[in-house]
Amino acid sequence: MVESRCGLLCSQCRYKEEVNCPGCVHMSKPFWGESCPVKACCEGKRLLHGGGM
């Protein structure tokens, strides 16, 4: 099951608890920087995650 825009398994990410990360699907701006190109692309296309076609 995809838990993020890019396919990262948030449940296995060490930052989830360290920085109280809700996951990029539930935040407006990533905690790691100003933007994420995968997040921006998915949201621009109104997709939950990138899947490549």
Side-chain angles (χ1 to χ4, degrees):
M1 178 172 170
V2 176
E3 300 176 15
S4 65
R5 301 282 190 213
C6 66
L8 179 77
L9 295 176
C10 296
S11 60
Q12 296 180 10
C13 178
R14 67 183 174 105
Y15 293 111
K16 183 168 179 66
E17 289 186 21
E18 284 182 22
V19 298
N20 198 28
C21 178
C24 63
V25 174
H26 305 289
M27 65 173 68
S28 59
K29 180 181 151 189
F31 68 85
W32 59 89
E34 286 299 313
S35 67
C36 171
V38 176
K39 178 175 172 50
C41 180
C42 290
E43 291 173 355
K45 294 180 179 180
R46 298 179 187 250
L47 299 171
L48 182 59
H49 57 81
M53 295 184 150

